[in-house]
Amino acid sequence: MKSLSDLKRPWFMSPAMWFAFLLRSDIRGGLPPTGLETQMNFVAWWLCFGRKEYSEVWAYQECHISIAMEKIKGDNNIIFPRLLWYIHGFEKIKENFPLRHEEEMAKFLCWYRIYGPKIFDFAPELPPEFLIQTEKFCDRPPWNQIKFQVPRIAAALIELGGQDVQEFFDFGRASSNIFMDFCLHGGWRNFVPPTPSVCVAESTHPHLAIPDIFKQSHQDIYDISINVVGYARGELGVGEDIRMVSLALDSINIHHTIIDVSDFLTSARKNDSFIVRNSSAMPVHHITIYCMPIFDLARVYLEFGDKFFKNQYKIGYFPWELPEFPDGWHNIYDLIDEIWAPSAFTAQAFVDCTKKPVYVMPPAVSLPPISLHSTKEFTRRDEEIFVFIYPFDPNSHLSRKNPLALVRAFRKAFNKKNNAVALLLRINGDPRGHPGWKELEDAASADSRIHIWSETLDRPDALGILASCDCLVSPHRAEGFGRNIAEAILLGLPVLATGFSGNVDFMESEELIAWTPRKLAPGEYPFGDGLWWAEPSVDDLAKKMRSVCRQKVEAQNDSPAPNSRKQRFELRHAPLGVGRRYAMRLQAIMTHSCERFTSGSERGRR
């Protein structure tokens, strides 16, 4: 079997098919995407169900019909077209058509001819040798016991046909002439849906060319209007990303239209109080920032199609957590013109795998008014204690967030008799059902000082709980940026985090946990097979947690010093400064694209 490092889009799949194939492990049955048979079987799914799920990009070519109708040997050495073996895999179909002998196989072929075009998005015509089997005379009782034998397809129509067949053909009243015409002279053909004979043309690539899209004059070049696409109302990290982009653009008065795709692409709660002043269902300006994980860009393409990307200069503002980018996704870069990365770490991962321009654009970090909370709410203790906190979202994968390492380090750092410390795992959402949750829950429940609070909270409450604690710890194995760490710094909290990936850009050396590289286990992280990340040292984390506690005790005897750490961070990530960096790049895009300006007023200009 090929390794994931060799993964490339096969010749017979368009980028749209390939994106869907990579994203839909449910359709692959959990099998790795490297197998040719798995890839070819996906063609069967695409023809049967692709149009319903991805109507904007669904199409097929002759080669897909050839693959779908290729003869393959299945159970009991039975030979069937690939597509029919795929359909037969559904439990109800298998129940109704057990395929124990030739008549049952032929009945299944007849069922496909009768119901395939009605049930599936596209049901290609059976190859001639299988068509012939459906029109042979039936050896199945009672059809082989009447004065003439009945073609299998006619018998199947009488047995399986719907109301229209029943109304036309009533055994009690039908004359022998009608019956003979239906059976012997092709009358049954009126009830078998025709299969399409003309292929739908399909482009082999999504929209690649950048058209003449800009309509400003040289005098108007600094008057920028852009679209920003993302999870504007989603209560998750990537939702906060787009809200901070909007805040940074507002700070320098760049007009922008928000396209919220929360309803289409995330199951997270969507009650964030962010107010979208200018919104649209489709891009209306000539520059668009796609503020989302890069794989979700493929989902946007599959959901909305090529028209969503046309007539724009497209910027992918992508978080990515691993030091390399997985093979097999190279066509995703055809959807964008340049990449903005939130950290130098993420930028390097993209530079290594695409020729598209990549720019480091540190994101804005800003805090709304917070709701005050007390540690008594979750520790249930009145005495003053030192509380470590780790806020994270289980949808970001427990394997990456790695809270179990923190539980182990906490127990290693502080003797069980030490009741002056506590640990809060603040989980955004419901972690039940996530891989690794039971192990984490069992480890935490073994120590009464460790508390788990799992609930989606309004942002002011979530930040208020963070502010009530004494130190944020993030034993992650990889982070694209580390927004939870950044927010703790803005609140003036000490922080400890793995000294690897995006957070290294803004953390001090003494705050970083030692680590060693570790290869990802198969299936440990989406599209991560064959790649690597960090394994933080539990011993070093325990040592630094004890040190942070000592520093607080020592600081209580001294006069408070100004928080220069917080001030340095604000200079780098304040919305106004970030907005100015955005503006400089957006102006450069406009300037370098002057030759593509055309006449006319800008579509969607307000």
Side-chain angles (χ1 to χ4, degrees), residues 528-550:
D529 290 9
L531 305 181
W532 66 276
W533 55 14
E535 191 60 51
S537 165
V538 169
D539 289 341
D540 189 54
L541 176 52
K543 177 182 172 183
K544 285 185 164 67
M545 290 171 78
R546 286 193 297 269
S547 176
V548 169
C549 279
R550 280 197 306 271

Side-chain angles (χ1 to χ4, degrees), residues 161-204:
Q163 190 176 355
D164 51 349
V165 176
Q166 302 301 329
E167 286 175 357
F168 170 80
F169 189 67
D170 184 333
F171 278 114
R173 286 178 276 183
S175 70
S176 59
N177 288 339
I178 293 175
F179 182 53
M180 287 186 66
D181 177 69
F182 182 84
C183 293
L184 299 180
H185 304 302
W188 53 266
R189 294 185 189 278
N190 296 319
F191 300 93
V192 177
T195 52
S197 57
V198 180
C199 256
V200 178
E202 173 182 48
S203 66
T204 54

Side-chain angles (χ1 to χ4, degrees), residues 414-430:
F414 306 106
N415 187 288
K416 206 164 185 178
K417 294 179 181 177
N418 183 352
N419 288 316
V421 292
L423 168 62
L424 174 63
L425 301 177
R426 238 307 291 147
I427 303 174
N428 177 43
D430 185 353

Side-chain angles (χ1 to χ4, degrees), residues 253-388:
N253 297 314
I254 286 186
H255 174 77
H256 58 284
T257 296
I258 297 288
I259 300 166
D260 184 15
V261 293
S262 301
D263 290 334
F264 300 98
L265 300 177
T266 180
S267 59
R269 202 174 78 167
K270 308 171 186 69
N271 294 339
D272 192 271
S273 56
F274 175 69
I275 298 172
V276 180
R277 290 186 301 281
N278 300 296
S279 64
S280 174
M282 293 288 289
V284 293
H285 305 297
H286 298 314
I287 300 177
T288 302
I289 300 175
Y290 290 87
C291 188
M292 59 183 60
I294 190 167
F295 305 117
D296 287 355
L297 186 69
R299 292 187 172 97
V300 169
Y301 175 69
L302 290 168
E303 182 72 34
F304 300 108
D306 190 54
K307 65 187 179 192
F308 199 84
F309 293 84
K310 282 185 176 178
N311 300 324
Q312 305 154 54
Y313 187 92
K314 302 168 290 291
I315 301 166
Y317 204 167
F318 299 139
W320 176 244
E321 295 84 11
L322 301 182
E324 300 171 14
F325 198 74
D327 287 328
W329 281 93
H330 302 298
N331 293 109
I332 194 75
Y333 302 114
D334 294 337
L335 294 172
I336 47 98
D337 299 300
E338 69 177 56
I339 295 172
W340 290 3
S343 64
F345 168 82
T346 298
Q348 188 58 53
F350 287 124
V351 165
D352 290 342
C353 63
T354 179
K355 294 180 180 178
K356 294 292 173 78
V358 180
Y359 300 90
V360 179
M361 290 286 188
V365 183
S366 180
L367 303 178
I370 65 175
S371 301
L372 296 178
H373 285 261
S374 165
T375 57
K376 294 176 186 177
E377 291 180 47
F378 46 87
T379 62
R380 299 178 295 281
R381 288 153 61 184
D382 292 330
E383 67 270 26
E384 186 174 337
I385 57 175
F386 190 102
V387 180
F388 294 93

